Amino acid sequence: MLPRNSLYFLGTAGARHVVYSQLRRSGGLLWNLNGFYLWVDPGPGALVRALENTPSIAPAGVDALYLSHNHLDHTCDANVVIEAMTNGGDNKRGSLLAPADALGNEPAVSSYTRAFVNSVETLGVGKSFSLASNVSLHTPLAHHHGVETYGYRIHLPNIKVAHIVDTLWMDSLCDAYAGVDVLIINTTLLDARLNVLHLSIKDAERLIVTIRPRIAFLTHLGKKMLEADPMKLAKQLTEKTGVTTIAAQDGMLFDLSQI
Ligand SMILES: [Zn+2]
């Protein structure tokens, strides 16, 4: 469904307003990692967007679901995606990776649906998971986002990628995600705002300047980011940092072998 070793932005919406108005889609990201399919953070409408997509995304071919944290714009469609991955539970397969508090008292995935996957992995600080041969996923640190939240690094033989999900700025992000070739940043805010636990465009710049990936993507875009023209902001970041920076759009495909 996707080229081998590629990244597909099924949705780029960030935070409540953009999600509930669907100014951008909220389907999350889909990775093809050496043939292993990983779906990250399926928000509202993710399943419908996947099925309607051209080319259509076949959930039955997805091998694992990753939930970064238990907020609805990241987990809303998790149950139905698992049902679609497993043919309504008739074909038990695949895995679910999620923080403990997304599986606890107010779970993002019901115990009924959880039984449909082969394994449920609990994310944690400094943990590593083998997704497939030569494909490993790492959760280096806990983010600062009000609920238990983890970004991730993925290591393939010739490429390392990272996705810095929702968080307030922390200096420790720079070390935790150092050395990657591709960096995805959930850049929800145009300007940092008191008590809003998200990264801003200024934070994205600091991350890009320090980590210096070969390419960076901005996604999970909030309303003010959209109003300010994310493509223009990404172009400015490219000029300032010397690192190619792209504002993700719904339906954008990136071939990892390009870098
Ligand atoms: Zn969140």
Side-chain angles (χ1 to χ4, degrees):
M1 69 188 137
L2 297 177
R4 200 171 178 84
N5 289 327
S6 61
L7 160 65
Y8 190 75
F9 291 91
L10 199 49
T12 55
R16 287 161 294 182
H17 181 85
V18 177
V19 171
Y20 70 63
S21 61
Q22 289 290 290
L23 283 172
R24 292 282 184 108
R25 299 176 180 185
S26 43
L29 298 180
L30 197 63
W31 295 92
N32 179 331
L33 305 158
N34 258 338
F36 183 95
Y37 280 95
L38 174 70
W39 195 336
V40 176
D41 285 351
L47 179 68
V48 173
R49 298 298 194 184
L51 296 174
E52 284 180 353
N53 198 62
T54 309
S56 83
I57 305 291
V62 173
D63 300 293
L65 181 63
Y66 181 98
L67 307 178
S68 65
H69 64 288
N70 194 3
H71 282 163
L72 275 176
D73 51 334
H74 300 257
T75 60
C76 180
D77 269 20
N79 286 287
V80 74
V81 163
I82 290 174
E83 287 226 359
M85 280 170 61
T86 60
N87 192 24
D90 287 347
N91 182 20
K92 185 167 174 159
R93 58 181 289 281
S95 56
L96 166 68
L97 298 96
D101 83 352
L103 303 168
N105 285 343
E106 293 182 359
V109 179
S110 68
S111 54
Y112 167 80
T113 317
R114 232 177 284 174
F116 297 166
V117 292
N118 275 335
S119 68
V120 178
E121 308 288 352
T122 308
L123 304 178
V125 175
K127 280 193 168 180
S128 296
F129 305 88
S130 174
L131 298 181
S133 78
N134 288 326
V135 184
S136 59
L137 183 145
H138 311 265
T139 48
L141 83 173
H143 286 203
H144 186 352
H145 190 55
V147 293
E148 193 182 2
T149 303
Y150 300 98
Y152 59 90
R153 306 170 57 107
I154 295 171
H155 297 181
L156 295 152
N158 298 317
I159 191 166
K160 291 188 173 87
V161 304
H163 182 180
I164 302 181
V165 302
D166 300 2
T167 187
L168 187 67
W169 173 265
M170 303 185 291
D171 289 343
S172 50
L173 293 171
C174 296
D175 272 352
Y177 297 104
V180 297
D181 304 289
V182 177
L183 181 64
I184 300 165
I185 306 168
N186 283 13
T187 314
T188 305
L189 303 177
L190 185 61
D191 298 302
R193 281 163 47 206
L194 198 63
N195 299 325
V196 179
L197 306 177
H198 280 287
L199 294 171
S200 68
I201 191 84
K202 198 78 201 153
D203 297 328
E205 182 182 335
R206 288 164 81 182
L207 288 166
I208 292 166
V209 163
T210 312
I211 295 172
R212 299 207 68 76
R214 289 155 82 181
I215 191 165
F217 290 91
L218 311 180
T219 189
H220 208 56
L221 307 170
K223 185 166 173 265
K224 291 227 163 67
M225 280 291 289
L226 293 182
E227 287 168 355
D229 186 355
M231 285 173 85
K232 190 180 85 187
L233 295 168
K235 189 163 174 278
Q236 288 169 352
L237 275 189
T238 301
E239 286 161 3
K240 264 183 166 170
T241 64
V243 174
T244 301
T245 302
I246 294 174
Q249 297 180 60
D250 295 344
M252 180 182 275
L253 175 71
F254 181 71
D255 181 350
L256 296 172
S257 64
Q258 276 178 41
I259 61 160

